[in-house]
Amino acid sequence: IHSCKRCLELDMISELANDVPPYNVCDKHPFCMFPVCMKYPSSLEENYCKEHSVVLCRSFTKKGKQCKKQARSPMMPYCADHAHLASNMFQEVSLSKEENTSS
């Protein structure tokens, strides 16, 4: 059983941590959801720290303007309407890797 290190840093009565050190934080103080990041989001409503927050979808509208919706995550830089484009992104990456190895 471990105490939440963020509760202790804030001089609060510590909640029980969900994991062992160095990942010992409670539900009130989760880490950023970006893999291996140990920073805290600005608020409980956010899943990512400021460094890993993605503000806008990377896609464009039919009129050629930048989509203004929020992306699902830094790992999935498209909104729900453009999520299908993520599979195209991964196909392009794998094709470019194949081209580099065949040269």
Side-chain angles (χ1 to χ4, degrees), residues 39-94:
K39 294 179 182 175
Y40 302 102
S42 312
S43 70
L44 284 176
E45 291 80 39
E46 297 178 27
N47 293 319
Y48 296 92
C49 67
K50 287 182 182 179
E51 182 179 334
H52 294 117
S53 293
V54 174
V55 178
L56 296 177
C57 173
R58 287 191 185 172
S59 188
F60 294 89
T61 65
K62 290 177 183 175
K63 295 182 180 180
K65 295 183 179 181
Q66 177 77 41
C67 178
K68 301 246 186 238
K69 294 184 179 179
Q70 185 172 359
R72 287 186 169 184
S73 75
M75 305 284 294
M76 171 67 139
Y78 296 97
C79 67
D81 294 340
H82 296 115
H84 65 281
L85 297 173
S87 61
N88 296 344
M89 177 181 73
F90 295 120
Q91 287 173 353
E92 289 172 14
V93 169
S94 64

Side-chain angles (χ1 to χ4, degrees), residues 10-56:
L10 298 171
D11 291 326
M12 297 171 57
I13 296 173
S14 180
E15 299 282 331
L16 290 178
N18 296 323
D19 207 342
V20 297
Y23 308 103
N24 54 317
V25 291
C26 67
D27 291 334
K28 293 180 184 176
H29 302 111
F31 284 126
C32 172
M33 291 183 73
F34 194 83
V36 298
C37 182
M38 294 182 67
K39 294 179 182 175
Y40 302 102
S42 312
S43 70
L44 284 176
E45 291 80 39
E46 297 178 27
N47 293 319
Y48 296 92
C49 67
K50 287 182 182 179
E51 182 179 334
H52 294 117
S53 293
V54 174
V55 178
L56 296 177

